[in-house]
Amino acid sequence: MEDTQYNVSFKKAEWIALLSLFLHLLFSGLAFLLYHWNHLESVFMLGWFFLAGSPVWFISLLHLRQKRRSQEEVLVEKKSSPETDDNSLFKENSLDPFSALTRLTYFEKWIIPGFTFTLGVFLLFLAGKLIFQYREVEIAQEIKNAPISAAFLVGFSFFSLLVSKFALGMSEQKNWRFLRAGGSYLFINAGISFFCALGAILARLKWFEFDYYFALLIPLLLGILGLELLLNLLLDVYRPRVLNQEIRFPYDSRFLELCTGSRGILSTAAQTLDYQFGFQVSETWFYQFFEKSIVPLLIFQLSTLYLLSCIVVVKPQEQVIIERFGHPLEEKVLFPGLHFKWPWPIEVIYRYPANQIQELHLGIQDQEEEVSHVFFPMMDETNSEKKKKSIIFTHEHNHLENHFLIANHSQQAKKDYLFNLEEEDLQVLKKEQVPLAFVQALRRNGESISPDPMIEIIQEDQEWLVRDSQSYYIINRQNGENKVYKLQEQTVPVNLLTVHIVVRYLIDNMINYAYKHGNPEGLIEGVSYREATQYLASVDMVTLLTTGRLKATHILLERIQKECNTNELGVKIVQVAILEVHPPIPVAKSFEGVIEALEEKQTKIAQAETYRKKTVHLTKAEQKKLIQEATTYLYEKQHLTLAESLMFKDILKAYEAGGRNFLARKYLDTLEKHIKKQRLYVLNVPNTSKQTDIINLEDQASSLTDLDLSEENNHE
């Protein structure tokens, strides 16, 4: 009768293991379906946790089945040979290679360690993969079907808790020990399901952070279990084997047993030490002394840690405010050094970087950091290398850029904008609606008389742009008719510029900074953005790009400091710097094209001006030269003509006095003048028909140095 009850007990344990395995697989599939329905990240992780626990119940089921068959085999042997007293399970001559006992021994020696190693590696791999994929998941902003999902999850928790508590309670009996591993795992599943249901309820209340961060804890728990299984397997190899000692298999997690609360921390630790070292470590004097002293020791340590809250160490860049029962002590602002206070929660400290320059970046947003408030960075190698790298505004930077509206005060821009407005932006005025001052101003302007100082007139072809202090008017004077258009609203042309402004400040009044406003950093940023926007909307783009940057920083510093003082922010603006001013990157190429065109225009104008000045001066010089030459020629002609007339009179008198002698003298003088440097040949040839003369036209040598004494001439 007792043997039959023993056998029935094993079969009940097998049914419990089979039921639990079915629940794991069922709840795992339902959890994945719920995830596709509501997109709760914790439910997705819960599905994997249920699925990862099913192998534990499967190995427990196989272990129970092998154990039951070995026990049935022993009972059969007892009945067949009742006269034998020695029926020990470990008797070598009773082992049959094909017996259930042999299969159980092989199962516990090889299958269970291999299964434990495989399961531990699988849990570590699964945990790593889930955590790696979870990095790209963002906090959800909307959860669908949260109430129904919470109801399903509560059902998971209830049935898991019911079965697990039954399995853990029955595992206290010797025949049901193998249910302890799966029961602990199923109990943890019940707790996780409950917190997943709580996360769904909180998501319904628009608090999505709980589900997001709790989902990350589930793969971390899987990783811890994987490490524990591998550690149990390693320790089991070096565990001493003691006869008749209950064996605790490595897939049975002590960590999960501790989480279930079935054993205390000290009892679990004592049992683990006794099992690992093979003797009763818990009965030694040291362990008993440690067990008695652990509570006073913990009280002493906790008291010491609590009293350490009375000591305050303020760093050099900090200042500390003390609150006593929630009220700040204005006279007890702590400066760098060592200080003492009443313990928490009587007095609480709040640290602020009062002695450290803080930076506020306007106009940009770092892609890696969403906040624009940073502490002033110290100079290091990384920053120096970044500063050496050239950044061109036509290429993408490492941050997102905001754009500011910049006014355009140039007359040409105003004309281009207003003369190209659409008809829907204009309103046609009748003659009686046109202000008389405009008509008079136009009439005076047409007569080259300055218009009224309060009226601005811009003319382009047949259109006139008239502006007073209230509105803009466009007057079209084509075909002898004057059509007057009034702009619906007074508008001005604007530009967009990317401006990177850095505001550096110090905290100079801790109480105002900490208690006057709930978010002083955000208020400083808002004030700085407002003042920067207002100022940049009133300054000319060209001025800001060229010579007005330094002036702009001074004006912005004064305005931001004034607003901070008005709002009692308790900060001192140390510096305002404009680091970048350039057009937006999408239009950078077009802007460079405009600049190149303007430079080319100025170059052409300069070249034309140079050519004009050069031509004017050369023309004036040529004019003076021609005038001077003409004057000289006139003077020369006048005096030469007079001299020639006087000389002719003298020659005439000489001719009248000399007659033929004068003519001969003149002939000889002329002959002498023209043959003075010519070679003369005098020939006396009485009969040219009988005589041939050879004339050598070579120059005669005037001295010995002119003689040709070469060998050829000597040879001749």
Side-chain angles (χ1 to χ4, degrees), residues 49 56 164-165 167-169 171-173 176-189 221 224-225 228-229 232 246-273 275:
F49 200 86
V56 177
S164 64
K165 291 300 290 183
L168 289 174
S171 66
E172 297 294 330
Q173 301 181 17
W176 293 51
R177 294 292 191 195
F178 303 111
L179 297 178
R180 181 170 53 197
S184 301
Y185 200 101
L186 188 57
F187 183 86
I188 297 300
N189 274 329
L221 182 58
I224 293 174
L225 291 178
E228 187 199 4
L229 293 182
N232 289 343
E246 181 185 355
I247 300 176
R248 182 154 189 167
F249 295 96
Y251 65 85
D252 188 0
S253 172
R254 294 175 176 84
F255 173 73
L256 292 181
E257 183 185 9
L258 183 63
C259 293
T260 58
S262 57
R263 291 180 181 270
I265 297 177
L266 293 178
S267 60
T268 303
Q271 182 184 8
T272 303
L273 292 175
Y275 180 77

Short mmCIF file of all heavy atoms in Angstrom, two decimals, residues 49 56 164-165 167-169 171-173 176-189 221 224-225 228-229 232 246-273 275:
data_model
loop_
_atom_site.label_atom_id
_atom_site.label_comp_id
_atom_site.label_asym_id
_atom_site.label_seq_id
_atom_site.Cartn_x
_atom_site.Cartn_y
_atom_site.Cartn_z
N PHE A 49 10.19 35.79 -21.29
CA PHE A 49 10.49 35.21 -19.97
C PHE A 49 9.69 33.93 -19.75
O PHE A 49 10.21 32.95 -19.21
CB PHE A 49 10.18 36.24 -18.89
CG PHE A 49 10.88 35.97 -17.59
CD1 PHE A 49 12.15 36.43 -17.37
CD2 PHE A 49 10.26 35.24 -16.58
CE1 PHE A 49 12.81 36.18 -16.18
CE2 PHE A 49 10.90 34.98 -15.39
CZ PHE A 49 12.19 35.45 -15.19
N VAL A 56 12.79 24.57 -18.24
CA VAL A 56 12.99 24.13 -16.85
C VAL A 56 11.91 23.11 -16.46
O VAL A 56 12.21 22.07 -15.84
CB VAL A 56 12.97 25.35 -15.91
CG1 VAL A 56 13.11 24.91 -14.45
CG2 VAL A 56 14.08 26.33 -16.27
N SER A 164 2.18 27.95 -8.93
CA SER A 164 3.53 28.00 -8.36
C SER A 164 3.52 27.79 -6.86
O SER A 164 4.39 27.09 -6.31
CB SER A 164 4.19 29.35 -8.69
OG SER A 164 3.48 30.43 -8.09
N LYS A 165 2.57 28.39 -6.17
CA LYS A 165 2.51 28.19 -4.72
C LYS A 165 2.21 26.73 -4.39
O LYS A 165 2.75 26.19 -3.40
CB LYS A 165 1.44 29.11 -4.11
CG LYS A 165 1.80 30.58 -4.15
CD LYS A 165 3.09 30.87 -3.38
CE LYS A 165 2.91 30.70 -1.89
NZ LYS A 165 4.12 31.05 -1.12
N ALA A 167 3.06 24.14 -6.27
CA ALA A 167 4.27 23.38 -6.57
C ALA A 167 5.34 23.61 -5.52
O ALA A 167 6.03 22.67 -5.08
CB ALA A 167 4.79 23.76 -7.96
N LEU A 168 5.51 24.86 -5.07
CA LEU A 168 6.53 25.15 -4.07
C LEU A 168 6.17 24.53 -2.72
O LEU A 168 7.06 24.05 -1.99
CB LEU A 168 6.70 26.67 -3.91
CG LEU A 168 7.39 27.39 -5.09
CD1 LEU A 168 7.36 28.90 -4.87
CD2 LEU A 168 8.83 26.91 -5.23
N GLY A 169 4.87 24.55 -2.40
CA GLY A 169 4.47 23.93 -1.14
C GLY A 169 4.70 22.43 -1.15
O GLY A 169 5.19 21.85 -0.16
N SER A 171 6.89 20.91 -2.97
CA SER A 171 8.32 20.60 -3.13
C SER A 171 9.03 20.44 -1.80
O SER A 171 10.19 20.00 -1.77
CB SER A 171 9.00 21.69 -3.95
OG SER A 171 9.00 22.93 -3.25
N GLU A 172 8.36 20.76 -0.70
CA GLU A 172 8.96 20.53 0.60
C GLU A 172 9.06 19.03 0.89
O GLU A 172 9.88 18.60 1.71
CB GLU A 172 8.14 21.23 1.70
CG GLU A 172 8.11 22.75 1.56
CD GLU A 172 9.48 23.37 1.77
OE1 GLU A 172 10.30 22.79 2.53
OE2 GLU A 172 9.74 24.43 1.17
N GLN A 173 8.20 18.22 0.24
CA GLN A 173 8.29 16.77 0.39
C GLN A 173 9.42 16.24 -0.48
O GLN A 173 9.76 16.81 -1.52
CB GLN A 173 6.96 16.12 -0.01
CG GLN A 173 5.77 16.58 0.81
CD GLN A 173 4.50 15.89 0.41
OE1 GLN A 173 4.52 14.84 -0.25
NE2 GLN A 173 3.37 16.44 0.84
N TRP A 176 8.79 15.40 -4.23
CA TRP A 176 8.40 16.52 -5.09
C TRP A 176 9.50 17.57 -5.19
O TRP A 176 9.25 18.70 -5.60
CB TRP A 176 7.12 17.17 -4.54
CG TRP A 176 5.90 16.30 -4.63
CD1 TRP A 176 5.77 15.02 -4.20
CD2 TRP A 176 4.64 16.67 -5.19
NE1 TRP A 176 4.52 14.54 -4.44
CE2 TRP A 176 3.78 15.53 -5.04
CE3 TRP A 176 4.12 17.81 -5.77
CZ2 TRP A 176 2.46 15.54 -5.47
CZ3 TRP A 176 2.81 17.82 -6.19
CH2 TRP A 176 2.00 16.69 -6.06
N ARG A 177 10.74 17.23 -4.81
CA ARG A 177 11.82 18.21 -4.82
C ARG A 177 12.06 18.80 -6.22
O ARG A 177 12.46 19.94 -6.35
CB ARG A 177 13.12 17.56 -4.34
CG ARG A 177 13.11 17.12 -2.89
CD ARG A 177 13.06 18.30 -1.96
NE ARG A 177 13.31 17.87 -0.57
CZ ARG A 177 13.05 18.62 0.49
NH1 ARG A 177 12.51 19.81 0.33
NH2 ARG A 177 13.31 18.18 1.71
N PHE A 178 11.80 17.98 -7.22
CA PHE A 178 12.12 18.43 -8.58
C PHE A 178 11.18 19.54 -9.07
O PHE A 178 11.43 20.14 -10.11
CB PHE A 178 12.05 17.24 -9.54
CG PHE A 178 12.97 16.11 -9.15
CD1 PHE A 178 12.44 14.91 -8.68
CD2 PHE A 178 14.34 16.25 -9.22
CE1 PHE A 178 13.28 13.88 -8.31
CE2 PHE A 178 15.17 15.22 -8.85
CZ PHE A 178 14.65 14.02 -8.39
N LEU A 179 10.09 19.79 -8.35
CA LEU A 179 9.18 20.88 -8.72
C LEU A 179 9.67 22.25 -8.24
O LEU A 179 9.10 23.27 -8.60
CB LEU A 179 7.78 20.62 -8.14
CG LEU A 179 7.05 19.37 -8.63
CD1 LEU A 179 5.71 19.24 -7.91
CD2 LEU A 179 6.85 19.44 -10.13
N ARG A 180 10.72 22.25 -7.39
CA ARG A 180 11.17 23.50 -6.79
C ARG A 180 11.73 24.46 -7.84
O ARG A 180 11.46 25.67 -7.80
CB ARG A 180 12.22 23.21 -5.72
CG ARG A 180 12.74 24.45 -5.01
CD ARG A 180 13.58 24.04 -3.83
NE ARG A 180 14.62 23.10 -4.26
CZ ARG A 180 15.31 22.32 -3.41
NH1 ARG A 180 15.04 22.35 -2.11
NH2 ARG A 180 16.23 21.49 -3.86
N ALA A 181 12.50 23.95 -8.80
CA ALA A 181 13.12 24.83 -9.81
C ALA A 181 12.06 25.50 -10.66
O ALA A 181 12.04 26.73 -10.83
CB ALA A 181 14.08 24.02 -10.68
N GLY A 182 11.12 24.70 -11.21
CA GLY A 182 10.08 25.30 -12.04
C GLY A 182 9.10 26.13 -11.25
O GLY A 182 8.60 27.15 -11.74
N GLY A 183 8.80 25.70 -10.00
CA GLY A 183 7.88 26.48 -9.17
C GLY A 183 8.42 27.87 -8.87
O GLY A 183 7.68 28.87 -8.90
N SER A 184 9.73 27.96 -8.58
CA SER A 184 10.33 29.28 -8.33
C SER A 184 10.25 30.16 -9.58
O SER A 184 9.95 31.36 -9.50
CB SER A 184 11.79 29.11 -7.90
OG SER A 184 11.88 28.33 -6.72
N TYR A 185 10.52 29.55 -10.75
CA TYR A 185 10.47 30.32 -12.00
C TYR A 185 9.05 30.81 -12.28
O TYR A 185 8.83 31.96 -12.68
CB TYR A 185 10.97 29.44 -13.15
CG TYR A 185 11.43 30.21 -14.35
CD1 TYR A 185 12.78 30.44 -14.60
CD2 TYR A 185 10.51 30.71 -15.26
CE1 TYR A 185 13.20 31.15 -15.70
CE2 TYR A 185 10.92 31.42 -16.37
CZ TYR A 185 12.27 31.64 -16.59
OH TYR A 185 12.68 32.34 -17.67
N LEU A 186 8.05 29.93 -12.07
CA LEU A 186 6.66 30.31 -12.32
C LEU A 186 6.19 31.38 -11.33
O LEU A 186 5.40 32.26 -11.68
CB LEU A 186 5.77 29.08 -12.24
CG LEU A 186 4.31 29.25 -12.67
CD1 LEU A 186 4.22 29.76 -14.08
CD2 LEU A 186 3.55 27.94 -12.51
N PHE A 187 6.71 31.33 -10.08
CA PHE A 187 6.36 32.34 -9.10
C PHE A 187 6.88 33.72 -9.53
O PHE A 187 6.17 34.73 -9.40
CB PHE A 187 6.93 31.96 -7.73
CG PHE A 187 6.56 32.91 -6.63
CD1 PHE A 187 5.37 32.76 -5.93
CD2 PHE A 187 7.39 33.97 -6.29
CE1 PHE A 187 5.02 33.64 -4.92
CE2 PHE A 187 7.05 34.85 -5.28
CZ PHE A 187 5.87 34.69 -4.60
N ILE A 188 8.10 33.76 -10.05
CA ILE A 188 8.65 35.04 -10.54
C ILE A 188 7.84 35.52 -11.74
O ILE A 188 7.60 36.73 -11.90
CB ILE A 188 10.14 34.87 -10.92
CG1 ILE A 188 10.95 34.50 -9.67
CG2 ILE A 188 10.69 36.14 -11.54
CD1 ILE A 188 10.89 35.54 -8.57
N ASN A 189 7.38 34.58 -12.59
CA ASN A 189 6.51 34.97 -13.71
C ASN A 189 5.22 35.62 -13.22
O ASN A 189 4.72 36.56 -13.84
CB ASN A 189 6.18 33.76 -14.57
CG ASN A 189 7.24 33.50 -15.62
OD1 ASN A 189 7.86 34.43 -16.11
ND2 ASN A 189 7.45 32.24 -15.97
N LEU A 221 17.15 40.32 -15.69
CA LEU A 221 16.89 39.17 -14.84
C LEU A 221 17.23 37.87 -15.56
O LEU A 221 17.78 36.93 -14.96
CB LEU A 221 15.43 39.18 -14.40
CG LEU A 221 14.98 38.05 -13.45
CD1 LEU A 221 15.83 38.06 -12.18
CD2 LEU A 221 13.50 38.19 -13.11
N ILE A 224 20.95 37.45 -15.37
CA ILE A 224 21.39 37.01 -14.04
C ILE A 224 21.14 35.51 -13.87
O ILE A 224 22.00 34.77 -13.33
CB ILE A 224 20.66 37.82 -12.95
CG1 ILE A 224 21.11 39.29 -13.01
CG2 ILE A 224 20.94 37.24 -11.56
CD1 ILE A 224 20.33 40.19 -12.08
N LEU A 225 19.99 35.02 -14.32
CA LEU A 225 19.69 33.59 -14.22
C LEU A 225 20.67 32.76 -15.05
O LEU A 225 21.11 31.69 -14.62
CB LEU A 225 18.26 33.33 -14.68
CG LEU A 225 17.14 33.85 -13.78
CD1 LEU A 225 15.78 33.57 -14.38
CD2 LEU A 225 17.24 33.23 -12.39
N GLU A 228 23.89 32.56 -13.19
CA GLU A 228 23.79 31.70 -12.02
C GLU A 228 23.81 30.22 -12.42
O GLU A 228 24.45 29.40 -11.75
CB GLU A 228 22.52 32.01 -11.24
CG GLU A 228 22.46 31.26 -9.92
CD GLU A 228 21.08 31.17 -9.34
OE1 GLU A 228 20.13 31.62 -10.01
OE2 GLU A 228 20.92 30.61 -8.25
N LEU A 229 23.13 29.87 -13.51
CA LEU A 229 23.12 28.47 -13.94
C LEU A 229 24.53 28.00 -14.31
O LEU A 229 24.94 26.89 -13.95
CB LEU A 229 22.18 28.30 -15.12
CG LEU A 229 20.68 28.49 -14.84
CD1 LEU A 229 19.86 28.25 -16.09
CD2 LEU A 229 20.20 27.59 -13.70
N ASN A 232 26.44 27.62 -11.06
CA ASN A 232 26.04 26.40 -10.35
C ASN A 232 26.67 25.16 -10.98
O ASN A 232 27.11 24.24 -10.28
CB ASN A 232 24.52 26.26 -10.37
CG ASN A 232 23.83 27.28 -9.48
OD1 ASN A 232 24.47 27.88 -8.60
ND2 ASN A 232 22.55 27.49 -9.70
N GLU A 246 21.37 14.90 0.06
CA GLU A 246 20.42 15.28 -0.98
C GLU A 246 21.12 16.10 -2.06
O GLU A 246 21.80 17.09 -1.77
CB GLU A 246 19.26 16.08 -0.38
CG GLU A 246 18.23 16.48 -1.41
CD GLU A 246 17.15 17.38 -0.82
OE1 GLU A 246 17.17 17.61 0.42
OE2 GLU A 246 16.30 17.87 -1.58
N ILE A 247 20.95 15.68 -3.29
CA ILE A 247 21.62 16.36 -4.41
C ILE A 247 20.73 17.51 -4.90
O ILE A 247 19.53 17.33 -5.13
CB ILE A 247 21.89 15.37 -5.56
CG1 ILE A 247 22.78 14.23 -5.08
CG2 ILE A 247 22.50 16.08 -6.75
CD1 ILE A 247 23.01 13.15 -6.13
N ARG A 248 21.35 18.68 -5.08
CA ARG A 248 20.64 19.83 -5.65
C ARG A 248 21.21 20.07 -7.04
O ARG A 248 22.37 20.44 -7.20
CB ARG A 248 20.82 21.07 -4.78
CG ARG A 248 20.05 22.27 -5.32
CD ARG A 248 19.70 23.24 -4.23
NE ARG A 248 18.81 24.28 -4.70
CZ ARG A 248 18.15 25.10 -3.90
NH1 ARG A 248 18.29 24.99 -2.58
NH2 ARG A 248 17.35 26.03 -4.40
N PHE A 249 20.39 19.87 -8.04
CA PHE A 249 20.87 19.89 -9.41
C PHE A 249 21.09 21.33 -9.88
O PHE A 249 20.41 22.27 -9.41
CB PHE A 249 19.87 19.15 -10.31
CG PHE A 249 19.78 17.69 -9.96
CD1 PHE A 249 18.78 17.22 -9.12
CD2 PHE A 249 20.73 16.80 -10.44
CE1 PHE A 249 18.71 15.88 -8.78
CE2 PHE A 249 20.65 15.45 -10.10
CZ PHE A 249 19.65 15.00 -9.27
N PRO A 250 22.03 21.55 -10.82
CA PRO A 250 22.44 22.92 -11.16
C PRO A 250 21.36 23.76 -11.82
O PRO A 250 21.47 25.00 -11.81
CB PRO A 250 23.63 22.70 -12.11
CG PRO A 250 23.50 21.31 -12.61
CD PRO A 250 22.85 20.54 -11.52
N TYR A 251 20.32 23.15 -12.41
CA TYR A 251 19.28 23.97 -13.04
C TYR A 251 18.30 24.54 -12.00
O TYR A 251 17.40 25.32 -12.35
CB TYR A 251 18.51 23.18 -14.11
CG TYR A 251 17.72 22.01 -13.58
CD1 TYR A 251 16.43 22.19 -13.10
CD2 TYR A 251 18.25 20.72 -13.58
CE1 TYR A 251 15.69 21.12 -12.62
CE2 TYR A 251 17.52 19.65 -13.11
CZ TYR A 251 16.24 19.86 -12.63
OH TYR A 251 15.51 18.81 -12.15
N ASP A 252 18.45 24.14 -10.73
CA ASP A 252 17.60 24.65 -9.65
C ASP A 252 18.23 25.95 -9.12
O ASP A 252 19.27 25.94 -8.46
CB ASP A 252 17.50 23.61 -8.54
CG ASP A 252 16.47 23.99 -7.49
OD1 ASP A 252 15.85 25.06 -7.63
OD2 ASP A 252 16.31 23.21 -6.53
N SER A 253 17.59 27.09 -9.40
CA SER A 253 18.15 28.40 -9.08
C SER A 253 17.91 28.75 -7.62
O SER A 253 16.77 28.75 -7.14
CB SER A 253 17.52 29.47 -9.99
OG SER A 253 17.91 30.75 -9.58
N ARG A 254 19.00 29.04 -6.93
CA ARG A 254 18.88 29.50 -5.54
C ARG A 254 18.44 30.96 -5.50
O ARG A 254 17.81 31.40 -4.54
CB ARG A 254 20.21 29.32 -4.82
CG ARG A 254 20.61 27.87 -4.62
CD ARG A 254 21.99 27.76 -4.01
NE ARG A 254 22.35 26.37 -3.74
CZ ARG A 254 22.87 25.53 -4.63
NH1 ARG A 254 23.07 25.96 -5.87
NH2 ARG A 254 23.15 24.29 -4.31
N PHE A 255 18.81 31.71 -6.52
CA PHE A 255 18.39 33.12 -6.58
C PHE A 255 16.87 33.23 -6.68
O PHE A 255 16.25 34.05 -5.98
CB PHE A 255 19.06 33.79 -7.78
CG PHE A 255 18.58 35.19 -8.04
CD1 PHE A 255 18.96 36.24 -7.21
CD2 PHE A 255 17.73 35.46 -9.10
CE1 PHE A 255 18.50 37.53 -7.45
CE2 PHE A 255 17.28 36.74 -9.35
CZ PHE A 255 17.66 37.78 -8.52
N LEU A 256 16.24 32.41 -7.53
CA LEU A 256 14.79 32.45 -7.63
C LEU A 256 14.13 31.95 -6.36
O LEU A 256 13.08 32.45 -5.95
CB LEU A 256 14.33 31.60 -8.82
CG LEU A 256 14.70 32.12 -10.21
CD1 LEU A 256 14.15 31.18 -11.29
CD2 LEU A 256 14.19 33.53 -10.43
N GLU A 257 14.74 30.95 -5.71
CA GLU A 257 14.20 30.46 -4.44
C GLU A 257 14.23 31.56 -3.38
O GLU A 257 13.30 31.71 -2.59
CB GLU A 257 14.98 29.24 -3.98
CG GLU A 257 14.43 28.63 -2.69
CD GLU A 257 15.30 27.50 -2.18
OE1 GLU A 257 16.40 27.30 -2.73
OE2 GLU A 257 14.87 26.83 -1.22
N LEU A 258 15.31 32.34 -3.41
CA LEU A 258 15.41 33.45 -2.46
C LEU A 258 14.36 34.51 -2.76
O LEU A 258 13.78 35.11 -1.84
CB LEU A 258 16.82 34.05 -2.51
CG LEU A 258 17.13 35.17 -1.53
CD1 LEU A 258 17.04 34.67 -0.09
CD2 LEU A 258 18.52 35.74 -1.79
N CYS A 259 14.09 34.74 -4.06
CA CYS A 259 13.08 35.74 -4.44
C CYS A 259 11.67 35.30 -4.05
O CYS A 259 10.81 36.15 -3.79
CB CYS A 259 13.15 36.02 -5.94
SG CYS A 259 14.68 36.83 -6.48
N THR A 260 11.43 34.01 -4.02
CA THR A 260 10.09 33.53 -3.65
C THR A 260 9.80 33.71 -2.17
O THR A 260 8.63 33.68 -1.77
CB THR A 260 9.95 32.04 -4.00
OG1 THR A 260 10.97 31.29 -3.32
CG2 THR A 260 10.07 31.83 -5.49
N GLY A 261 10.83 33.86 -1.35
CA GLY A 261 10.63 34.07 0.08
C GLY A 261 10.38 32.81 0.86
O GLY A 261 10.01 32.88 2.04
N SER A 262 10.57 31.65 0.23
CA SER A 262 10.35 30.40 0.96
C SER A 262 11.44 30.15 1.99
O SER A 262 11.24 29.41 2.95
CB SER A 262 10.27 29.23 -0.03
OG SER A 262 11.48 29.17 -0.80
N ARG A 263 12.60 30.74 1.79
CA ARG A 263 13.69 30.62 2.76
C ARG A 263 14.27 32.01 3.00
O ARG A 263 14.25 32.87 2.11
CB ARG A 263 14.80 29.70 2.25
CG ARG A 263 14.40 28.23 2.16
CD ARG A 263 15.55 27.40 1.65
NE ARG A 263 15.19 25.99 1.55
CZ ARG A 263 15.36 25.11 2.53
NH1 ARG A 263 15.87 25.50 3.68
NH2 ARG A 263 15.01 23.85 2.35
N GLY A 264 14.84 32.21 4.20
CA GLY A 264 15.50 33.46 4.50
C GLY A 264 16.87 33.52 3.86
O GLY A 264 17.41 32.54 3.35
N ILE A 265 17.46 34.71 3.91
CA ILE A 265 18.77 34.90 3.29
C ILE A 265 19.83 34.07 4.02
O ILE A 265 20.65 33.38 3.41
CB ILE A 265 19.15 36.39 3.30
CG1 ILE A 265 18.16 37.20 2.46
CG2 ILE A 265 20.56 36.60 2.79
CD1 ILE A 265 18.41 38.68 2.47
N LEU A 266 19.78 34.09 5.37
CA LEU A 266 20.79 33.37 6.14
C LEU A 266 20.65 31.85 5.98
O LEU A 266 21.64 31.13 5.84
CB LEU A 266 20.70 33.77 7.62
CG LEU A 266 21.08 35.22 7.94
CD1 LEU A 266 20.91 35.49 9.43
CD2 LEU A 266 22.52 35.50 7.53
N SER A 267 19.41 31.37 6.02
CA SER A 267 19.21 29.92 5.89
C SER A 267 19.62 29.45 4.49
O SER A 267 20.20 28.38 4.33
CB SER A 267 17.75 29.57 6.16
OG SER A 267 16.90 30.23 5.24
N THR A 268 19.31 30.26 3.46
CA THR A 268 19.71 29.90 2.10
C THR A 268 21.23 29.89 1.97
O THR A 268 21.81 28.98 1.36
CB THR A 268 19.11 30.89 1.10
OG1 THR A 268 17.68 30.91 1.23
CG2 THR A 268 19.48 30.51 -0.33
N ALA A 269 21.88 30.90 2.56
CA ALA A 269 23.34 30.94 2.50
C ALA A 269 23.95 29.77 3.26
O ALA A 269 24.92 29.15 2.79
CB ALA A 269 23.84 32.27 3.08
N ALA A 270 23.40 29.42 4.42
CA ALA A 270 23.93 28.29 5.19
C ALA A 270 23.76 26.98 4.44
O ALA A 270 24.69 26.15 4.38
CB ALA A 270 23.23 28.22 6.55
N GLN A 271 22.61 26.78 3.85
CA GLN A 271 22.38 25.56 3.10
C GLN A 271 23.32 25.47 1.89
O GLN A 271 23.85 24.40 1.57
CB GLN A 271 20.93 25.50 2.63
CG GLN A 271 20.58 24.21 1.88
CD GLN A 271 19.17 24.22 1.35
OE1 GLN A 271 18.51 25.24 1.41
NE2 GLN A 271 18.72 23.09 0.85
N THR A 272 23.54 26.60 1.22
CA THR A 272 24.44 26.60 0.05
C THR A 272 25.86 26.26 0.46
O THR A 272 26.56 25.47 -0.20
CB THR A 272 24.40 27.98 -0.63
OG1 THR A 272 23.04 28.29 -0.99
CG2 THR A 272 25.27 28.01 -1.86
N LEU A 273 26.34 26.83 1.57
CA LEU A 273 27.70 26.54 2.05
C LEU A 273 27.84 25.08 2.46
O LEU A 273 28.85 24.42 2.14
CB LEU A 273 28.05 27.47 3.20
CG LEU A 273 28.22 28.96 2.84
CD1 LEU A 273 28.44 29.79 4.11
CD2 LEU A 273 29.40 29.15 1.89
N TYR A 275 26.14 22.55 1.41
CA TYR A 275 26.08 21.69 0.23
C TYR A 275 27.37 21.77 -0.58
O TYR A 275 27.85 20.77 -1.12
CB TYR A 275 24.87 22.10 -0.62
CG TYR A 275 24.70 21.27 -1.87
CD1 TYR A 275 24.17 19.98 -1.80
CD2 TYR A 275 25.07 21.78 -3.11
CE1 TYR A 275 24.01 19.21 -2.95
CE2 TYR A 275 24.91 21.02 -4.26
CZ TYR A 275 24.38 19.74 -4.18
OH TYR A 275 24.24 18.98 -5.30
#
